Each structure stands twice: as structure tokens, then as C-alpha cells.
Amino acid sequence: MQKNDGMNYAPQGKPNPVVKPGEFAFAAIGLDHGHIYGMCNGLMEAGADLVAVYDPDPAKVEAFVKRYPQAKAAASDGEILRDPSIQLVAAAAVPSERGALGVRVMSAGKDYFTDKTPFTALSQLEAARAKVKETGRKYMVYYSERLHVESAVFAGELIQKGAIGRVVHVMGWGPHRLNAPSRPQWFFEREKYGGILCDIGSHQIEQFLFYTGAKDATVGSSRIANYNNKQYPELEDFGDATLTGDNGATFYFRVDWLTPDGLGTWGDGRTLIVGTDGYIELRKYIDIARDRQGDHVYLVNKEGERHFSVRGEVGYPYFGQLILDCMHRTENAMTQEHAFKAAELCLKAQQQAVRVE
């Protein structure tokens, strides 16, 4: 697992198959972001068979097949889309291309699982919504900062058990290390990556909706800036926003590309969840100056103060639930509306953001 560079951070968990070999086949298309490896790891650990891969860059395909030799290199994405045995396509294309690819995948009768951010424009979201309605296929999103983080999964379990009462406020911090030399050109092109609130902000908004149970929200304010990377004029290295859910819960989040070199991981991601009967703090990837292992959960409620170290203890149930949802046409992993609403709100936050210097 690469801890210094978030772009290549690919968690690995314990195998927990929900299907037998040969029951659920998937393929990968679009290897532009390293998250594709985490997506594939999660699906394979849940029992899915990775059978094919396509990307126009032979070097990316070669590296992928070296990691996953069972994946056959396809001559085109059409070869994968025409294969009736493939049920799901996982993709981490350039962000601005994810929506159109998803429409093609669903038109081919397959479910789609894309890296975040799923869209860079509201028009792409509307096209995907229309195609979902037309085909009945799924357009699922790898919101990895909740789905592939054991402390975040555990926090959801605590909330469901009533550990902190009704959730009324969430604060999220999503700092990332820039590692500019390792980034592809599209990463610095605003039209292609969508803006910082649209991109890494999508993780934060999805968590707010999930932990509070809100079905919708309004964006109160949002800001973007390029404080420290003027050599990349289209990059935004800072963004923040406030939201209010339709159930009255409130939210503040901050994302940035300002992680200092001295931190022992790619970003000190944290979440603070405030309820009527207590609060939870997540230190996802590191507990600075104390423990370089992540997945620390701090709980305070009427019963006292507790610390849980949950690395390797909780697992990643989303992937198995997604496979079963695709097979049985259920919505236990994540509802389609939830996936789309998080995307819609990050697009709106980005669209109305005030630029500061």
C-alpha cells in the first residue's frame, strides 16, 4: 500500500467473498488514476473475477497486467462492452471523461463503478441520470475516503447503534500531498479534473450525507484558492464549503493539496461527527507524532471516553454489497440517488465557489 502518494493509495483487506469463482466477472477500463487498483482489490477480495482490462496506453496496461495477470488485455473498450459475460466495468478515467464512459457502459447493459469524482459538469450528471432511468443499470462511485477506510466504516456502525444520538454536525478535513512530479498533465487542467471541491471535495460531501442521513442539502458558501502553486495556474490547492442538510444537520469541510513533506502519510484525513449524545473523531491515515498506523476512532458519550484502533478489524463491506446489488438489483451498498446527490452537491459547491488569494 502506497502511503506517501494518495493517487496510488490502494488499500488491501482480508478476503471476504460473497460469490463463488465464476459467478461475477468484471473488467477495468481507464487506468488514468491509481485508485483503479484499490477498486479492483476491493471487488476481488469480495469474490469478483477480474477478467479483462483496456486502456489506450500500453504502458498502463502492462503495469496493470503485471499486478493482475488474470486480466486479459483487450484490444479496445468495445471488446469489453460487447462481452456478455462481464457484468460490471470499473473505471478510473480522466475525470471529465468518466460520465460519457459510464453512459456507454450502461448502454451496453452493464453496471458501472467509477472513481470519484464521477462528473465534472452538471450536464454529465443529467445524462447519467437519464441513462440509469432508461436502462436500469447502476452508476456507482468509489467514494474511497469512507468506503475504503475501516475507521469510517466503524463510525457508521457506531452511529447506527445510537452511540452519539442524532447526528447534527459534521466537520471533514481532506488534506492531500501534491507530489506534483508524479501527476499526469490532466491533473493540472481545470476542465479535466473539475476543480478541488468537485474532485476531492466529493468524498467529504458523500460522508456528510451518509453520517447525517440527509437526502439533500444546500450549499451555504464555498471558496477556492491557489495559495502555493502559482506555477500551475489552473490548479486549486485549497477549498472549503458549508452545507445544510434537509434534516437540519450542518457541515463544514476543507480540502487542500498542502500536506507538508514531514507527514508520514499522504494526508492527515480526519472527520468529526457531533451528535446530540456525544461525538466521534476519526483519524483515518495517521495519528500524528504518536502512531503512523491509521484507523483510530475516538468516541465520547455519556458512558465516557473510548479509543478504538480498528485497522484490520472491520473490513470493507461495500464491495461485497455492491456485487450482490448488481446480481440481485438491490441497493444495499449505496442507493443510486445517494451517489448522484453527493456528485450534484460537489458540482454546485464548485460552481458557486468564490476565489480567494
Side-chain angles (χ1 to χ4, degrees), residues 158-225:
L158 289 175
I159 291 166
Q160 289 174 351
K161 292 175 182 176
I164 59 171
R166 174 191 170 191
V167 176
V168 297
H169 182 66
V170 178
M171 284 188 283
W173 295 272
H176 287 58
R177 177 171 287 133
L178 183 59
N179 265 351
S182 71
R183 300 287 175 178
Q185 182 58 37
W186 62 258
F187 179 87
F188 301 101
E189 297 176 20
R190 173 67 174 71
E191 185 179 346
K192 292 184 178 179
Y193 77 88
I196 192 169
L197 298 178
C198 180
D199 181 19
I200 51 179
S202 62
H203 287 296
Q204 299 297 324
I205 292 176
E206 189 278 330
Q207 289 174 93
F208 165 65
L209 295 175
F210 177 78
Y211 289 133
T212 64
K215 303 299 183 188
D216 201 353
T218 55
V219 178
S221 65
S222 54
R223 295 175 293 194
I224 54 174

Side-chain angles (χ1 to χ4, degrees), residues 52-250:
V53 59
Y54 173 74
D55 188 277
D57 183 346
K60 289 190 178 76
V61 173
E62 182 181 359
F64 188 87
V65 172
K66 187 175 181 180
R67 176 90 67 95
Y68 306 116
Q70 71 273 33
K72 176 190 172 187
S76 67
D77 57 5
E79 181 181 326
I80 289 172
L81 298 183
R82 288 189 297 270
D83 186 338
S85 70
I86 294 171
Q87 292 144 282
L88 175 78
V89 169
V94 173
S96 59
E97 299 171 6
R98 291 170 184 169
L101 175 57
V103 168
R104 290 183 61 220
V105 169
M106 293 186 291
S107 295
K110 305 181 189 307
D111 294 311
Y112 184 58
F113 181 37
T114 181
D115 189 18
K116 66 77 222 162
T117 185
F119 311 103
T120 56
L122 286 166
S123 59
Q124 298 166 9
L125 168 60
E126 292 314 309
R129 274 189 164 133
K131 187 57 69 171
V132 166
K133 188 175 181 180
E134 174 194 329
T135 64
R137 296 289 100 188
K138 295 182 181 294
Y139 192 113
M140 289 289 103
V141 184
Y142 182 57
Y143 293 115
S144 57
E145 290 186 28
R146 180 177 67 84
L147 304 177
H148 228 162
V149 174
E150 288 182 284
S151 56
V153 174
F154 186 65
E157 295 174 358
L158 289 175
I159 291 166
Q160 289 174 351
K161 292 175 182 176
I164 59 171
R166 174 191 170 191
V167 176
V168 297
H169 182 66
V170 178
M171 284 188 283
W173 295 272
H176 287 58
R177 177 171 287 133
L178 183 59
N179 265 351
S182 71
R183 300 287 175 178
Q185 182 58 37
W186 62 258
F187 179 87
F188 301 101
E189 297 176 20
R190 173 67 174 71
E191 185 179 346
K192 292 184 178 179
Y193 77 88
I196 192 169
L197 298 178
C198 180
D199 181 19
I200 51 179
S202 62
H203 287 296
Q204 299 297 324
I205 292 176
E206 189 278 330
Q207 289 174 93
F208 165 65
L209 295 175
F210 177 78
Y211 289 133
T212 64
K215 303 299 183 188
D216 201 353
T218 55
V219 178
S221 65
S222 54
R223 295 175 293 194
I224 54 174
N226 184 351
Y227 287 127
N228 198 43
N229 293 278
K230 305 298 186 184
Q231 69 273 38
Y232 305 111
E234 295 186 38
L235 179 70
E236 297 160 5
D237 63 16
F238 180 92
D240 70 358
T242 60
L243 286 83
T244 302
D246 58 359
N247 58 0
T250 60

Side-chain angles (χ1 to χ4, degrees), residues 30-47:
L31 309 178
D32 293 286
H33 198 295
H35 280 172
I36 191 66
Y37 290 95
M39 298 162 72
C40 290
N41 289 347
L43 289 167
M44 292 166 58
E45 287 159 8

